[in-house]
Amino acid sequence: MKKIFFLGECMLELRAIDGTTLNQAFAGDVYNSAVYLKRCFNSINSVIVTALGTDAISQKMRHCFVEEQLGTQLVFAHAEKVPGVYYIETDEHGERSFTYWRNDSAARKVIDFYNPTVIDELASGDMFFFSGISLAVIEPNARAAFWQSIDTLKAAGVKIVFDPNYRARLWQSIEETKQQYALAFQSADITLPGVEDLQVLYAVESVEDVLAHLSNYGINEIVIKNGPESVLTLADGQLDRHTITPVENVVDTTSAGDAFNGVYLGARLSALPVSEAVNKAAKAAAVVIQQPGAITAKTIFNRAMADT
Ligand code: AMP
């Protein structure tokens, strides 16, 4: 059974549905990817690596991981911390705004739980995925241990996968981000950047610019997302441009890239060729952006994906 680890943070998502009512869900970029991978490729072991607390919300979140059939052997429980929270509000023009409470979340401590047994388990995987958000969430004093673990996993033959997913407010400075991203690109076997994410950091404007920027790192598989425009891939030296059918009725683009990542990686772990992986991933992203929230209801998602 193929196995992939997703390291990062899952949060409590609160969505205002009218003046007085909040809808509760769980979401976070790597978690979203893990869920969509598992829904499309049930035979792959999709494992979430994170830290929660021991509170009631943490227990519900863990229960949700199990319901989504994710591996939870590396979901740690911090004795004092609790999960992060974000609140989404949509104004009368349909514009969404996000408010976060995540500075002191349990997930920031995940690397503290690493020990030789945990590293052995991670080393037994086929892939290890982390994002720019994962990197920002790991506390700066734990970064050395994190990068050391990446070296160990690489040496063990685990494919390292990185999505830059840049969120300015999670970083102290652009210089700090660039320094960490350089390390990530140097270790990545696969990267799945979005053009928009890298614009601010590297002054890139197009998929071609992103490709040029990444060409120095020796990354074997580069998958560049650009919303409804196109996807550019460079894999094993072969360059391909894939057209995307734009969705007419976009409801909520939250987690489009996450769904794309999860399904793409599931397809690649299943030995599907790059073009097929992109088609499946783009289909999943298109389904997700026609529904509200990061995680589309399972029945709706599975029905929409059944004909692919
Ligand atoms: P993004 O993170 O915005 O680059 O989007 C990730 C993926 O979601 C893209 O590569 C597309 O496959 C899909 N996607 C995003 N926006 C649209 C759209 N308007 N229509 C169809 N697919 C989209």
Side-chain angles (χ1 to χ4, degrees):
M1 195 182 203
K2 295 280 186 190
K3 181 156 66 171
I4 175 167
F5 291 96
F6 288 90
L7 174 99
E9 177 168 28
C10 184
M11 288 170 288
L12 172 64
E13 179 195 86
L14 299 175
R15 171 187 300 275
I17 48 176
D18 62 39
T20 55
T21 313
L22 290 175
N23 182 70
Q24 170 190 308
F26 298 115
D29 66 336
V30 297
Y31 165 73
N32 306 338
S33 297
V35 166
Y36 288 120
L37 181 150
K38 187 66 185 178
R39 286 185 184 179
C40 292
F41 299 93
N42 193 254
S43 63
I44 296 175
N45 203 345
S46 182
V47 185
I48 179 113
V49 185
T50 194
L52 309 178
T54 56
D55 54 287
I57 291 293
S58 293
Q59 281 167 27
K60 277 191 184 172
M61 206 182 269
R62 191 184 283 270
H63 182 71
C64 182
F65 296 167
V66 172
E67 276 204 327
E68 291 289 353
Q69 297 181 279
L70 303 183
T72 56
Q73 64 270 36
L74 298 182
V75 176
F76 308 107
H78 195 284
E80 285 111 41
K81 305 283 181 185
V82 295
V85 182
Y86 72 103
Y87 171 73
I88 312 177
E89 194 167 35
T90 310
D91 69 15
E92 64 272 25
H93 309 294
E95 283 297 318
R96 288 171 309 135
S97 62
F98 296 84
T99 309
Y100 292 92
W101 296 264
R102 70 192 306 185
N103 290 348
D104 191 34
S105 68
R108 304 207 65 193
K109 299 286 182 191
V110 62
I111 304 301
D112 291 3
F113 291 92
Y114 273 25
N115 62 33
T117 313
V118 170
I119 299 293
D120 279 353
E121 172 62 6
L122 292 173
S124 73
D126 298 280
M127 284 184 187
F128 177 86
F129 179 96
F130 66 104
S131 73
I133 297 178
S134 319
L135 263 186
V137 163
I138 294 170
E139 287 182 327
N141 64 11
R143 282 179 188 154
F146 172 74
W147 290 117
Q148 205 178 349
S149 72
I150 292 291
D151 287 346
T152 306
L153 299 189
K154 263 189 100 65
V158 179
K159 278 194 176 153
I160 306 298
V161 189
F162 176 60
D163 177 345
N165 231 346
Y166 177 57
R167 297 290 180 275
R169 71 173 109 185
L170 295 178
W171 294 94
Q172 301 285 338
S173 67
I174 283 189
E175 287 64 40
E176 181 197 28
T177 317
K178 283 178 160 177
Q179 189 261 347
Q180 288 296 300
Y181 279 25
L183 295 176
F185 288 130
Q186 275 158 27
S187 40
D189 296 286
I190 303 177
T191 188
L192 303 115
V195 174
E196 225 176 283
D197 279 329
L198 300 190
Q199 242 162 7
V200 184
L201 293 173
Y202 309 110
V204 290
E205 299 292 339
S206 62
V207 285
E208 289 78 12
D209 288 352
V210 174
L211 192 62
H213 177 78
L214 295 177
S215 63
N216 300 323
Y217 290 104
I219 304 168
N220 187 53
E221 195 161 322
I222 300 175
V223 181
I224 306 170
K225 298 165 284 184
N226 194 16
E229 302 300 319
S230 64
V231 170
L232 194 71
T233 54
L234 179 63
D236 297 320
Q238 188 181 320
L239 184 67
D240 286 301
R241 188 181 297 270
H242 313 260
T243 47
I244 299 293
T245 311
V247 163
E248 306 263 311
N249 178 30
V250 176
V251 173
D252 181 351
T253 55
T254 308
S255 91
D258 307 335
F260 185 101
N261 290 348
V263 176
Y264 180 85
L265 295 172
R268 295 295 284 149
L269 280 168
S270 308
L272 294 180
V274 168
S275 59
E276 239 175 277
V278 169
N279 287 344
K280 249 185 180 325
K283 172 76 200 261
V287 171
V288 167
I289 63 178
Q290 292 177 73
Q291 302 294 328
I295 301 290
T296 296
K298 205 172 196 165
T299 44
I300 296 174
F301 181 79
N302 288 353
R303 202 179 310 128
M305 292 302 289
D307 58 343
T308 59

